[in-house]
Amino acid sequence: DAGVIQSPRHEVTEMGQEVTLRCKPISGHNSLFWYRQTMMRGLELLIYFNNNVPIDDSGMPEDRFSAKMPNASFSTLKIQPSEPRDSAVYFCASSFHLNYGYTFGSGTRLTVV
Amino acid sequence: QQQVKQSPQSLIVQKGGISIINCAYENTAFDYFPWYQQFPGKGPALLIAIRPDVSEKKEGRFTISFNKSAKQFSLHIMDSQPGDSATYFCAASMETSGSRLTFGEGTQLTVNP
């Protein structure tokens, strides 16, 4: 298995633009998590899905953030409009169980200028 | 009650020394305690984990010590090597009730040659 695949690896965009981050979880995993990592705030959980259903989106910072999981093999995190303070590394993780065995992707480094 | 407090925020150790990172939790229902290791440019990866039925678990140079009464657990890295330089996250979850992992704030470890 290729692990959790995230794209793009790096994204530089201008303030106000729409950004879409993509994630392909490990086949067979039924839980998917989106995290944001910054020096100031560490690793923050944004939202997670179980069996493609959003379970908890309380970590989504604002309405500008949205996430979807249309099927078991694909998820997106969208920021519209993007702002400089959204600059961070965004990680997707998947797991067969909700509470252990998380496998993280390599992340998307987002820079909003 | 869902928080996991991690210390120190950063740690510098000489090669061959012992690195010790501590975590404390409040929720006594937590029953699964993993440690994740993150290298620059990569996502966190599971390093070692413990369940509260044992007080210590060792895998190579890495040992988790668990103190149930104090609600604390720690990671010990014996004979620390420059290749161990990374960010370490502790985490906790309620495996029996299927709750998601809660991560600590992270510790940036630097092992000097």
Side-chain angles (χ1 to χ4, degrees):
Chain A
D1 200 317
V4 176
I5 299 173
Q6 291 187 246
S7 65
R9 286 299 312 272
H10 303 274
E11 176 81 34
V12 180
T13 191
E14 291 185 347
M15 183 174 62
Q17 295 298 305
E18 177 180 296
V19 175
T20 299
L21 311 181
R22 297 173 175 79
C23 175
K24 177 179 169 54
I26 290 175
S27 177
H29 282 189
N30 55 12
S31 296
L32 184 139
F33 308 83
W34 281 102
Y35 287 87
R36 178 171 69 175
Q37 186 174 34
T38 61
M39 290 294 292
M40 292 297 294
R41 300 173 72 91
L43 198 60
E44 301 175 272
L45 177 66
L46 301 177
I47 184 172
Y48 69 98
F49 297 81
N50 195 38
N51 293 321
N52 311 338
V53 177
I55 302 300
D56 184 353
D57 65 353
S58 60
M60 298 285 260
E62 298 172 36
D63 290 345
R64 300 184 294 107
F65 286 70
S66 62
K68 294 181 179 179
M69 191 165 187
N71 57 61
S73 59
F74 184 66
S75 177
T76 59
L77 177 68
K78 185 179 293 186
I79 308 172
Q80 166 63 19
S82 58
E83 296 182 5
R85 60 194 168 121
D86 301 331
S87 298
V89 181
Y90 290 81
F91 287 104
C92 174
S94 72
S95 171
F96 186 70
H97 299 277
L98 189 60
N99 46 19
Y100 69 92
Y102 294 12
T103 300
F104 284 78
S106 295
T108 295
R109 180 174 294 277
L110 173 65
T111 303
V112 183
V113 298
Chain B
Q1 274 230 321
Q2 294 296 321
Q3 285 187 320
V4 177
K5 293 291 187 182
Q6 184 172 346
S7 63
Q9 192 173 19
S10 62
L11 179 63
I12 300 174
V13 174
Q14 291 300 118
K15 179 182 176 181
I18 302 174
S19 303
I20 301 175
I21 305 171
N22 301 299
C23 281
Y25 62 97
E26 289 295 323
N27 190 340
T28 55
F30 283 147
D31 56 8
Y32 175 71
F33 304 90
W35 285 89
Y36 280 74
Q37 179 188 53
Q38 182 184 25
F39 292 108
K42 301 290 186 182
L46 179 63
L47 180 64
I48 185 173
I50 196 168
R51 291 178 172 83
D53 53 339
V54 296
S55 60
E56 185 175 283
K57 183 173 182 180
K58 184 176 181 179
E59 289 184 2
R61 296 184 294 107
F62 299 89
T63 300
I64 300 179
S65 297
F66 182 76
N67 186 329
K68 189 174 182 178
S69 61
K71 292 185 287 185
Q72 295 177 347
F73 59 109
S74 59
L75 176 68
H76 296 236
I77 306 174
M78 311 300 288
D79 186 26
S80 299
Q81 300 296 313
D84 298 329
S85 297
T87 300
Y88 292 81
F89 294 92
C90 63
S93 71
M94 290 176 275
E95 195 172 18
T96 51
S97 66
S99 76
R100 61 167 181 85
L101 278 174
T102 297
F103 284 88
E105 299 91 341
T107 296
Q108 189 165 350
L109 171 67
T110 301
V111 182
N112 289 327

